[in-house]
Amino acid sequence: MTDRITVIRNAAWVVAWDESASRHIFRQDVDLAFSSAGILHLGSRYAGHADEEIAGASLMVMPGLVNIHCHSGDEPIAKGLFEDIGTAALWGNALYEYSALIDSDADAKAACQTVMLADLMRSGVTTHLDIASPHSKWLSLAVESGLRSYLAPGFREASWRMAGSHRLDFDWNKDRGRERYAEALAFVGQARTHPSGRIDGVLAPSQIETCSEELIQEAVAEARGRGMRITIHAAQTMAEHEELLRRTGETAPAMLERLGVIGPDLILGHCIFLDHHSWTRQRSRDDLGRLARSGTSVAHCPVTFARSGMTLESLGAYRRAGVNVGIGTDSYPFNMLEELREALICSRFAGRSVFDLDTADVFSAATIGGAKALGREDIGRLAPGAKADLVLVDLNHAAMQPVHDPLRNLIHCAAERAVRDVYVNAQTVVKDRRIVNLDYDGAVRELQDAQRRACRRAEQDDPQGRSLDALAPYSLPLARG
Ligand SMILES: [Zn+2]
């Protein structure tokens, strides 16, 4: 069973890894054989034993995508509420005054996670890094999904508190933060030893401004001792940028450099508001160099931020500066292929040029960039010896026609609609567009009630006591009668 061999015969297009050029290339009309041992063959006719053969004439085969930043906890029920709103005094960001009010309860956690995992798989993701609060099914659902999972239990010592609609304050409770940190350590210890071999743990001091410098340094030292990755939200909003300036006079990368924590095992979530960003008006241009020299990775999640009128300046510029960037989805719609499209568009807007970033660049970020951030050379590429994590794209889908360059068609037009099958470790996780291992439809049915409950709690928790109608008015007036 474990070494069952599958062969895709005469695949019309394959996105293959060229080791000598260190980049993806197209190959046409080749056989691809794989098993749980990995990619066994990629080239002309495979003459060895095969347990299953798949006709490849109408397929593009590509490596599975690596999503290095997403949140399963509450985001699936945040949909439709705050897309048209933000806090004007906090640069238009909706995070602190609005989004933070939406928390899923214990009954909703599994449904939220299931929906996220399913939507990621349907858009070609085979590896994900989920930053969330641990719940009883978190590990088991990740295992059951069949995905390759990096689970990052978030912990922090301060929570956000809004004063009116103009000022962000911090409520510090270091004892509780330490408890959460201890729980996170216990959780990752358990996750990393899971026999599936597909699960790893990541240490996640949640946000740079909600953890003390001591806790960040301690957590990073602990992760390094255990050979684990670390991820921290940093430079994600102007409010955070200004708070760090107020506390230390430093930007996020400067502070993390002083703390001795930047390095190739650190993934910074978002990392938008650096000293070169036009909104920050800093007088230095050092941050991209800091990240590049230290090998620190950035998790770029354009959709959530573009919704609030913000973007990294620019993905192309980060890559040219030598910063390793991977792609994440952060929040809904958990559609990795749409995220890639938005990453391209945002980069060209911010860089004011069609030449700022091309399709190959963004695909590389979502595969090789993510793999590098996770310290892996066996995922995000199709080559003999790599893991059998791959995506079969249906070239016959209307959105893929006509075919001149199928990767461009997929990213600029078809997105998840053309994703037919997805394999992780040679096992099918999406088959004919259906999720194999999880009850996706059942989980979707739970979201409506879960969102209603969360909205009731948001009304109770809002410091200004606003009703849902005031917090999240409909996009159109509702006709009466
Ligand atoms: Zn995030």
Side-chain angles (χ1 to χ4, degrees):
M1 177 68 194
T2 50
D3 56 358
R4 180 184 162 80
I5 294 172
T6 304
V7 180
I8 303 171
R9 289 283 181 208
N10 300 110
W13 295 81
V14 174
V15 178
W17 181 245
D18 179 347
E19 185 64 42
S20 59
S22 196
R23 63 169 303 161
H24 295 298
I25 57 171
F26 280 135
R27 298 191 65 173
Q28 290 183 316
D29 199 26
V30 291
D31 282 7
L32 191 151
F34 60 92
S35 75
S36 60
I39 308 283
L40 306 172
H41 171 91
L42 173 52
S44 53
R45 185 167 176 82
Y46 171 75
H49 166 77
D51 296 286
E52 183 188 4
E53 296 204 9
I54 297 170
S58 62
L59 294 176
M60 173 174 74
V61 185
M62 65 178 208
L65 304 176
V66 180
N67 177 340
I68 58 168
H69 190 109
C70 55
H71 302 286
S72 63
D74 315 311
E75 303 297 339
I77 55 169
K79 197 185 296 175
L81 296 171
F82 304 131
E83 289 84 352
D84 293 326
I85 212 158
T87 302
L90 298 180
W91 301 78
N93 202 299
L95 175 62
Y96 309 104
E97 186 178 355
Y98 299 99
S99 308
L101 286 174
I102 296 297
D103 282 323
S104 59
D105 51 33
D107 291 343
K109 295 283 185 200
C112 284
Q113 186 187 356
T114 299
V115 168
M116 184 193 82
L117 292 170
D119 286 339
L120 292 180
M121 289 187 274
R122 291 168 63 232
S123 62
V125 170
T126 53
T127 297
H128 82 300
L129 192 166
D130 181 10
I131 307 162
S133 298
H135 57 90
S136 61
K137 293 189 177 156
W138 196 29
L139 176 58
S140 59
L141 275 172
V143 171
E144 201 182 314
S145 73
L147 270 177
R148 224 173 273 290
S149 302
Y150 286 76
L151 301 179
F155 52 89
R156 63 184 190 175
E157 294 165 299
S159 51
W160 299 314
R161 178 165 46 82
M162 283 297 298
S165 288
H166 63 284
R167 197 179 74 229
L168 175 64
D169 290 330
F170 297 85
D171 286 332
W172 289 88
N173 185 336
K174 292 201 173 183
D175 289 343
R176 212 171 79 197
R178 287 278 160 179
E179 279 169 32
R180 295 281 177 273
Y181 174 50
E183 288 164 15
L185 288 177
F187 179 86
V188 294
Q190 184 197 354
R192 303 188 82 204
T193 57
H194 193 275
S196 71
R198 286 183 285 99
I199 310 292
D200 206 338
V202 172
L203 282 190
S206 290
Q207 296 95 11
I208 188 171
E209 83 286 11
T210 58
C211 294
S212 61
E213 295 186 357
E214 299 72 44
L215 182 60
I216 290 174
Q217 284 179 308
E218 196 178 317
V220 169
E222 185 68 33
R224 286 180 179 157
R226 296 181 183 211
M228 294 168 61
R229 290 343 236 192
I230 310 114
T231 190
I232 310 175
H233 288 90
Q236 70 163 333
T237 68
M238 280 299 292
E240 173 222 304
H241 168 73
E242 291 177 327
E243 177 67 17
L244 293 186
L245 283 184
R246 195 182 66 79
R247 286 186 202 168
T248 70
E250 294 163 315
T251 60
M255 177 180 148
L256 294 170
E257 184 178 55
R258 172 173 56 80
L259 296 180
V261 301
I262 55 175
D265 47 7
L266 176 65
I267 303 170
L268 296 180
H270 313 316
C271 223
I272 297 168
F273 296 104
L274 305 185
D275 63 357
H276 72 282
H277 194 283
S278 57
W279 289 17
T280 65
R281 299 278 180 192
Q282 297 300 287
R283 302 300 187 264
S284 56
R285 292 292 180 271
D286 299 329
D287 284 345
L288 286 179
R290 285 187 171 104
L291 300 178
R293 279 194 305 279
S294 59
T296 304
S297 291
V298 168
H300 177 40
C301 310
V303 168
T304 312
F305 291 89
R307 273 201 294 255
S308 297
M310 300 163 195
T311 191
L312 193 119
E313 294 179 347
S314 64
L315 176 50
Y318 280 45
R319 285 172 62 86
R320 286 189 294 278
V323 179
N324 182 54
V325 183
I327 306 292
T329 49
D330 203 36
S331 179
Y332 64 87
F334 299 111
N335 186 323
M336 191 68 168
L337 290 163
E338 285 190 3
E339 203 77 40
L340 298 196
R341 188 187 308 165
E342 194 100 346
L344 259 169
I345 293 170
C346 286
S347 190
R348 290 173 180 182
F349 253 118
R352 296 171 191 268
S353 169
V354 67
F355 304 114
D356 194 68
L357 191 80
D358 65 23
T359 301
D361 291 332
V362 80
F363 188 75
S364 173
T367 50
I368 297 300
K372 188 175 177 189
L374 296 172
R376 300 194 59 151
E377 295 187 346
D378 59 348
I379 59 173
R381 72 205 73 198
L382 295 184
K387 298 287 187 194
D389 295 1
L390 44 102
V391 177
L392 274 49
V393 176
D394 178 10
L395 299 176
N396 285 339
H397 191 283
M400 290 295 290
Q401 289 289 319
V403 178
H404 170 72
D405 182 315
L407 194 61
R408 288 204 191 112
N409 285 17
L410 182 72
I411 292 173
H412 293 274
C413 185
E416 89 292 354
R417 290 177 291 175
V419 171
R420 193 185 83 181
D421 305 310
V422 179
Y423 291 82
V424 179
N425 220 38
Q427 305 298 311
T428 322
V429 295
V430 176
K431 180 79 181 163
D432 268 334
R433 300 179 173 79
R434 302 288 299 173
I435 297 295
V436 175
N437 300 318
L438 300 172
D439 181 10
Y440 180 49
D441 296 341
V444 169
R445 281 194 295 273
E446 291 185 42
L447 294 187
Q448 188 72 65
D449 277 346
Q451 189 184 59
R452 277 199 197 101
R453 298 195 300 272
C455 286
R456 274 201 299 274
R457 282 193 303 278
E459 289 177 319
Q460 289 159 14
D461 294 346
D462 178 39
Q464 299 184 48
R466 289 168 288 191
S467 68
L468 188 66
D469 287 347
L471 283 166
Y474 290 135
S475 55
L476 300 176
L478 179 63
R480 304 289 170 192

